[in-house]
Amino acid sequence: MRQQPAVLVVEDEPAIAELIAVNLRHNGYRPTWASDSTTAQKELDAVLPDLILLDWMLPGESGLTLARRWRTDERTKAVPIIMLTARGDEVDRVAGLDAGADDYMAKPFSTKEMLARIRAVLRRRAPEQNAGPLTVGELTLDASTHRVSHRGQPLRLGPTEFKLLHYLMGHAERVHSRGQLLDKVWGDHVFIEERTVDVHVKRLREALGEAAAMVETVRGAGYRFTVQPALVDKH
Ligand code: CA
């Protein structure tokens, strides 16, 4: 089962934030609330949400400044952002989208509109969730049936190893640091040490059997899933 998407709501007006949070919770999302830019940054440093609802006018740094920064930060740049604002003119809309927001909502907006925009942005950002099985080399992972097979033979993976493999196969040939894997696979890394990743990579390799070498250790950098493992001289 897929986890409920986490939504970070950055909004300084408690009444509006509360209304948004209640509606999100009732519709299958897990909202967290940050009332200013400092709190929002702290939340993001701890946990990467699936989506950010970002108010334009905030005490301290504006939503526009935050959006620009998050878009240029390697760690946060893929998190979708929907800007919220009381101003509705075209200039602001363009400025918001230029800053890297995925979409824009002018207050007041209905719950229905908010949910529709969130769904659309999440769909655009995560096409692999609706796609068929992932295949890399002779390894196939089907997220809808939770099955993994190598050369047609089914493999048994624990839930964390499955999530880890799903992420790695979806982003093959790229090097991922342990911190990035914690963000993407575990979601909340506050209380998890980076060596936890190593433990699960080891288990994943054991489960993969003959395909174990596809999960490469990149010294000093992290891990990479590759269709062509480097040949290791065993002599
Ligand atoms: Ca505001």
Side-chain angles (χ1 to χ4, degrees), residues 10-142:
V10 188
E11 166 63 70
D12 60 312
E13 287 159 76
I16 297 176
E18 175 69 20
L19 186 68
I20 292 174
V22 165
N23 283 315
L24 286 175
R25 216 170 283 128
H26 284 172
N27 287 281
Y29 296 91
R30 285 179 297 130
T32 2
W33 175 40
S35 60
D36 56 53
S37 55
T38 313
T39 318
Q41 188 62 54
K42 273 189 197 143
E43 286 289 340
L44 267 195
D45 290 343
V47 184
L48 273 191
D50 294 289
L51 181 120
I52 301 168
L53 291 180
L54 178 60
D55 186 27
W56 184 299
M57 296 293 285
L58 292 167
E61 285 175 296
S62 73
L64 199 64
T65 309
L66 287 176
R68 278 203 194 103
R69 190 199 312 150
W70 293 338
R71 271 298 165 265
T72 49
D73 183 338
E74 192 60 37
R75 187 171 166 268
T76 51
K77 71 177 186 192
V79 180
I81 297 172
I82 300 180
M83 295 280 301
L84 312 177
T85 182
R87 327 187 225 171
D89 67 46
E90 192 64 21
V91 176
D92 282 352
R93 207 182 108 79
V94 169
L97 297 175
D98 276 352
D102 293 82
D103 202 355
Y104 179 96
M105 275 192 290
K107 296 176 193 171
F109 47 81
S110 69
T111 301
K112 215 173 152 185
E113 180 188 356
M114 176 180 79
L115 293 172
R117 286 184 187 274
I118 288 177
R119 274 195 304 270
V121 165
L122 288 178
R123 251 199 319 269
R124 277 208 300 276
R125 282 282 175 155
E128 71 269 22
Q129 277 165 18
N130 303 316
L134 276 172
T135 297
V136 177
E138 295 183 283
L139 195 69
T140 298
L141 179 147
D142 190 337

